[in-house]
Amino acid sequence: ASREADYAEPVHHYRLTHPRLDFYVDVTVHERDGRYMATADLAEDSRDVGAGDTPQEAVRAALRSLGEPYASEMAAGVATDEDEPV
């Protein structure tokens, strides 16, 4: 079984953008036992993975190949558990 399949609901999907980038990134965030895993589709055949204690940490880790400030600024746009996904 894949690592992604080990993560249960809830699953949130985001389409993240940055004003200085001319593309968007589709991100999926999974939660399991209080930890989060994010997958980011950065290219047609490329999926980067990140993990963290919050959804934002996981997304920032998954977007690390974009560099800063993009990864942190895009991750800041991810909803917290109390918010609805964008």
Side-chain angles (χ1 to χ4, degrees):
S2 73
R3 174 108 176 122
E4 186 171 339
D6 291 340
Y7 278 76
E9 297 291 337
V11 175
H12 299 288
H13 303 279
Y14 302 92
R15 180 162 281 176
L16 302 177
T17 62
H18 191 280
R20 291 184 288 183
L21 298 176
D22 62 355
F23 57 89
Y24 60 85
V25 179
D26 286 324
V27 176
T28 303
V29 179
H30 304 266
E31 185 273 331
R32 179 177 177 208
D33 299 328
R35 293 273 300 163
Y36 295 87
M37 184 184 81
T39 57
D41 295 326
L42 294 170
E44 191 171 312
D45 294 325
S46 174
R47 178 173 285 168
D48 286 8
V49 178
D53 292 329
T54 67
Q56 294 83 4
E57 282 182 16
V59 171
R60 185 173 54 248
L63 297 176
R64 68 189 167 277
S65 67
L66 294 177
E68 292 296 342
Y70 306 113
S72 291
E73 290 177 4
M74 291 169 76
V78 172
T80 63
D81 287 341
E82 295 80 35
D83 297 329
E84 287 297 312
V86 292

